[in-house]
Amino acid sequence: MPTRVWNYLEEYEQEREEILRAVDKVFASGQLVLGESVRSFENEFAGYHGLPHCVGVDNGTNAIVLGLRALGVGPGDEVITVSNTAAPTVVAIDQIGAKPVFVDVREEDFLMDTGKVAAAITPRTKALLPVHLYGQCVDMEPLRRLADEHGLAVLEDCAQAHGARRHGRLAGTMGDAAAFSFYPTKVLGAYGDGGATVTGSAETDQRLRRLRFYGMEDVYYTLETPAHNSRLDEVHAEILRGKLTRLDRYIEGRRAVARRYEEGLGDTALRLPATAPGNDHVYYVYVVRHPERDRIIEALKGYDINLNISYPWPVHTMTGFAHLGYGEGDLPVTEALAKEIFSLPMYPSLPAGVQDKVIAAVREVLASL
């Protein structure tokens, strides 16, 4: 089988019996939508983060959409974020009629350059949307100060940072609310789409619950605010309940793979991930950098190793966001990274033999350049 950046089959083999028990439990419960499994997972996921509220939704994109709406962001408002991210971060802003405003990222760790945020704030700015990228946290302290100074909401995009910490604080606990994705590849992944928004505010929680249920309260026919069906599925919630108990183990597995890569590739010309001071990295993806990225990826195909690029096209350069008016050179670090970064295989059940294969192949390819 070709070596890929991510594969769920090893994990499924290890956890198959528990996953099938979770599915059977839901099917035998007599309630398939917004039942005990979703309620229990919401309570447990909130508890993991030391927060009182969690609202399960159907995917990570809608976790951001609902989070922004619940925080009062709407048409005509501006939301400051980054372009070096998965497109859904920005799609969510656009979907509610707000305008994405981009700041560049840092050379050393590819995270939002928080020193550039103040200059991007205008009278129309309503929220800051930091992306905890690749498995580690943005510097939240200066963002929180800016938000308090200017009366802005802070929504953390935690899709890639389940269990990551900054100065001991979990990703998702440093803003007014936080959005998570449970897409299968994530550090905490379901077996299909899923997401959640967490918050410490009872008022925000109430808004989120209405927004994920057409804008209604707990029963049909009493519409408060028009919205869509964004419910988390009972089956995925029950599977996630079990996986949440193993989240810290998954994280340690990812860190072990990262350590193996550092041992095997640390003396090469490949630029390996840097952990920002104060951060505990969970390695959602293992992103490396090299100016001959495209040649390396092509050569590795000869070893039956197929790698991803996270991300090859900055969001601000995409045709779908041309209306924002950004051009080449506006975000120089982001644009340079897009030409040089790529991801090595990374998941906690990645076999040791595959890790060794990847390391040996990368070393051989680098030596041939």
Side-chain angles (χ1 to χ4, degrees):
M1 178 183 294
T3 298
R4 297 180 290 181
V5 169
W6 176 80
N7 190 336
Y8 74 91
L9 293 176
E10 291 95 344
E11 177 187 279
Y12 180 64
E13 184 63 28
Q14 296 167 7
E15 302 181 2
R16 180 175 182 273
E17 290 187 7
E18 179 170 337
I19 291 167
L20 295 182
R21 282 198 300 271
V23 173
D24 184 66
K25 177 180 177 179
V26 172
F27 287 171
S29 71
Q31 186 167 2
L32 301 177
V33 177
L34 291 185
E36 183 58 33
S37 293
V38 168
R39 286 191 293 272
S40 295
F41 174 70
E42 289 174 340
N43 289 334
E44 290 154 9
F45 194 66
Y48 179 89
H49 291 88
L51 293 171
H53 307 292
C54 168
V55 178
V57 298
D58 54 347
N59 56 64
T61 308
N62 278 338
I64 299 174
V65 169
L66 272 60
L68 289 172
R69 290 189 64 185
L71 293 173
V73 182
D77 293 331
E78 293 179 352
V79 179
I80 298 174
T81 190
V82 293
S83 178
N84 183 39
T85 183
T89 302
V90 186
V91 168
I93 299 170
D94 185 75
Q95 186 174 330
I96 64 171
K99 178 184 177 182
V101 174
F102 299 115
V103 296
D104 214 343
V105 296
R106 303 190 302 203
E107 283 273 3
E108 59 270 27
D109 52 26
F110 317 154
L111 296 167
M112 173 186 271
D113 189 338
T114 56
K116 297 185 181 298
V117 173
I121 295 174
T122 75
R124 296 175 65 181
T125 305
K126 193 64 174 287
L128 307 179
L129 181 49
V131 179
H132 298 317
L133 195 69
Y134 301 153
Q136 65 173 325
C137 297
V138 171
D139 294 351
M140 292 298 295
E141 300 85 2
L143 288 187
R144 185 72 266 177
R145 289 193 295 269
L146 280 172
D148 292 343
E149 179 183 348
H150 294 275
L152 307 177
V154 178
L155 177 68
E156 300 174 64
D157 181 344
C158 300
Q160 303 185 15
H162 310 70
R165 292 178 183 269
R166 177 160 181 78
H167 297 305
R169 295 187 64 179
L170 278 166
T173 67
M174 296 175 278
D176 297 296
F180 289 84
S181 168
F182 303 126
Y183 186 74
T185 63
K186 303 303 183 183
V187 180
L188 179 64
Y191 278 71
D193 281 313
T197 308
V198 300
T199 181
S201 164
E203 182 180 1
T204 302
D205 174 71
Q206 186 178 36
R207 291 173 181 166
L208 286 165
R209 293 187 184 280
R210 283 200 299 265
L211 290 167
R212 70 118 176 245
F213 193 70
Y214 306 107
M216 300 178 181
E217 297 292 349
D218 292 337
V219 295
Y220 284 104
Y221 314 124
T222 57
L223 188 72
E224 294 286 335
T225 304
H228 298 94
N229 168 16
S230 303
R231 301 176 298 229
L232 176 63
D233 196 72
E234 277 284 289
V235 169
H236 294 314
E238 190 61 35
I239 292 173
L240 286 165
R241 291 186 67 197
K243 296 190 72 174
L244 179 59
T245 67
R246 298 186 291 277
L247 175 55
D248 291 341
R249 192 175 81 199
Y250 296 150
I251 291 170
E252 184 47 47
R254 289 175 178 273
R255 288 174 175 159
V257 175
R259 288 192 294 270
R260 181 70 187 91
Y261 283 146
E262 187 167 0
E263 292 168 0
L265 298 170
D267 62 343
T268 70
L270 207 61
R271 182 169 171 178
L272 304 185
T275 301
N279 278 354
D280 294 322
H281 208 310
V282 298
Y283 298 101
Y284 164 59
V285 283
Y286 194 87
V287 175
V288 297
R289 184 177 183 181
H290 196 283
E292 297 291 338
R293 185 266 312 279
D294 294 343
R295 287 178 61 192
I296 294 170
I297 289 179
E298 188 61 32
L300 286 171
K301 291 178 182 177
Y303 295 81
D304 215 13
I305 297 173
N306 298 293
L307 302 182
N308 289 351
I309 302 172
S310 300
Y311 301 93
W313 300 285
V315 177
H316 73 282
T317 69
M318 295 180 180
T319 303
F321 290 106
H323 62 282
L324 296 177
Y326 287 89
E328 186 174 350
D330 286 342
L331 302 172
V333 178
T334 296
E335 293 164 27
L337 292 178
K339 299 173 183 176
E340 298 185 357
I341 56 178
F342 62 104
S343 303
L344 300 184
M346 171 57 74
Y347 50 97
S349 55
L350 182 67
V354 176
Q355 298 173 43
D356 293 339
K357 171 187 173 182
V358 170
I359 291 168
V362 169
R363 293 187 70 90
E364 286 187 22
V365 169
L366 290 172
S368 70
L369 293 178

